[in-house]
Amino acid sequence: MNRPAQPNAPGVEEILETFDFFDDWEDKYRYLIELGRALPPLDPALRDEAHRVHGCQSQVWLHARREGDRLWFEADSDALIVKGLLALVLAAFNGRTPDEILAFDIEAYFRRLDLIRHLSPTRGNGLRALVERIRELARQAAAEGAPSLSPAPAEE
Amino acid sequence: MSAPHPLRPAAFDPQAVREDFPILARRVGDRPLAYLDNAATSQKPRVVIDAVADYYRLHNANVHRAAHLLSDEATAAFEEARAQVARFLRSPSVEQVIWTRGTTEAINLVAASWGGAHLRPGDRILATEMEHHSNIVPWQLICARTGAELVPVPVTERGEVDLAAYERLLDERVKLVAVTQVSNALGTVNPVPEMARLAKGVGALVLVDGAQGAAHFPVDVAALGCDFYAFSGHKVYGPTGIGVLWGKRELLEAMPPYQGGGEMIETVSFAGSTWNRLPYKFEAGTPHIAGAVGLAAALRYLEGLDREAVVAHEADLLAYTRERAAELPALRPVGEPRQAAGIFSFLLGDAHPADVGTVLDQLGVAVRAGHHCAQPLMARFGIPGTVRASFALYNTREEVDRLFAALAKACDLLL
């Protein structure tokens, strides 16, 4: 029933293990950039103002859809490192229920990734805005309880 | 033969000068800081930090008011700061120096006050395509209010003002030309005296955005041929929140006040008020006294250096940067102005400028990545932004080497 946005995307545990394994910034960045490259590009039609996440130096777009009681997210950016960061965030939220999304401690996750100093969400890379947008969508979905998130997926 | 200047400054030594700037000793993680974001803001020498602290520690009082010692001292320091700025700009008089929060407020003041009083439907303001948003948006606002039109002056592929196009645009409809002395995004030094001469030919005024220029060259408002000159304290080694509008006396005299409040009035009654004389007419409210005192300290510091040697040093940094850039095949300069000062703007392969900036930051190299508040210029080049390294007098060739070592790493990671 679930159709993952990115079937082979690493999950949170795999990401955390990989990050734990690296001890210098360069290896972490290489991995982050690899995650960014692997993130499928968003349908260009969805790279519009309605899907823009503001508060980023680079451009970021987020598309959400609901399948049953789960939310799926696709995101894209014109900057590669930001795409890697998007992949980290999506790994934490994709295929989860709204309640799971709202309960997830994203700050603790970022701390464990040890990216706070380098890639802190206050640095204009838009992570904070992205996480806020995802949580807002989760709150809406929890409140509505109805399987519709705007804009509706075009292909279904 | 002229006799040697009695206060001949010591020869310029960037390494020695670095000792004057406490923040340059900072580290970024486990690396020394290479601060190459001086076009955004410059660092402050100890004399500026001390001047601001001493002002609050020893002399703080409101100016031009109370009959007590501290107020006298504060007023004297504040007005001496204005005189220092007048000397810095080679202004014929001190009253033509108006304190503002910065370049942005200075331009807004002219647009609102002069523009509001003089612009009519059909009038035109010219602004080059390379202007900072601060020298575009205030004109858009006043044009919307008055029915005047803001017309862009094209920029060439090199990143220079298209002078032929500029001449074609100049006619009697043009009331003011807004031009930056040095492009904050590309470093282009504009031919302001020539542009001003051409503007005068059709009776247009000229406003020069000196935010970048004042940090790099000695300024002479008469030689520039401008009617208004605006600059910011924080880009010339002074504090943030203080800046200057310089204007021709007869223009300033005729302009209505910008903001109302204390200080700018002569008399107030509910039937009507009269305005204070220059420069106070444009200085409503308690000014940024500490900022003015700090800015004066910064300008004294600059004037204490051998400015010719400083200009030569900064030119050497830029020439060396271009030399190193030519060795890096992935690097594409954005704009190649023949006259440039202190700024090198570029792209690295197809990497996003923000990604390059992030990698450089990891290596302790501080640059700016983005559109540099010059979106029309970025649109002109069809790019979302650039990476910009910008130099100050305390930068060194060694820091340029660190920039290129970091760029090699960025190529390795991102391309």
Side-chain angles (χ1 to χ4, degrees), chain B residues 77-88:
Chain B
F78 182 66
E79 292 304 331
E80 170 46 36
R82 196 191 304 274
Q84 177 67 50
V85 171
R87 288 193 292 275
F88 179 74

Side-chain angles (χ1 to χ4, degrees), chain B residues 92-110:
Chain B
S93 79
V94 175
E95 299 79 37
Q96 290 166 264
V97 172
I98 292 153
W99 298 116
T100 65
R101 284 184 292 145
T103 307
T104 298
E105 190 182 43
I107 297 171
N108 274 279
L109 191 165
V110 176

Side-chain angles (χ1 to χ4, degrees), chain A residues 1-6 63-67 70-74 94-96 137 147-156:
Chain A
M1 71 174 197
N2 288 337
R3 192 177 52 82
Q6 195 186 353
H63 175 62
R65 64 195 160 78
R66 182 169 180 164
E67 287 185 11
R70 314 243 150 208
L71 297 182
W72 293 93
F73 301 95
E74 293 166 75
N94 252 338
R96 308 258 181 168
L137 290 167
S148 101
L149 283 168
S150 68
E155 74 274 71
E156 286 169 11

Side-chain angles (χ1 to χ4, degrees), chain A:
Chain A
M1 71 174 197
N2 288 337
R3 192 177 52 82
Q6 195 186 353
N8 302 317
V12 165
E13 284 314 313
E14 187 186 335
I15 287 173
L16 284 171
E17 272 174 35
T18 311
F19 265 87
D20 280 344
F21 176 75
F22 297 131
D23 33 47
D24 78 341
W25 73 270
E26 200 180 316
D27 290 336
K28 286 181 183 179
Y29 267 59
R30 278 189 201 284
Y31 180 55
L32 195 60
I33 289 164
E34 211 175 282
L35 290 175
R37 289 195 206 277
L39 193 70
L42 196 61
D43 178 348
L46 296 175
R47 289 167 67 133
D48 61 11
E49 193 51 36
H51 292 86
R52 270 288 295 280
V53 179
H54 291 273
C56 319
Q57 280 178 356
S58 52
Q59 299 198 78
V60 171
W61 301 271
L62 176 71
H63 175 62
R65 64 195 160 78
R66 182 169 180 164
E67 287 185 11
D69 60 347
R70 314 243 150 208
L71 297 182
W72 293 93
F73 301 95
E74 293 166 75
D76 205 346
S77 170
D78 51 357
L80 193 51
I81 293 173
V82 174
K83 275 188 83 168
L85 294 170
L86 297 178
L88 297 180
V89 172
L90 295 195
F93 292 131
N94 252 338
R96 308 258 181 168
T97 66
D99 288 344
E100 284 169 345
I101 289 170
L102 293 170
F104 187 80
D105 186 348
I106 193 83
E107 298 297 333
Y109 176 55
F110 285 143
R111 272 197 301 279
R112 274 202 58 196
L113 291 169
D114 192 22
L115 286 170
I116 293 301
R117 188 178 72 77
H118 302 142
L119 298 167
S120 113
T122 59
R123 293 196 77 167
N125 53 39
L127 273 204
R128 176 84 58 194
L130 179 82
V131 169
E132 259 324 297
R133 180 79 188 123
I134 286 176
R135 291 173 62 90
E136 188 188 311
L137 290 167
R139 271 192 296 274
Q140 276 175 23
E144 289 167 7
S148 101
L149 283 168
S150 68
E155 74 274 71
E156 286 169 11

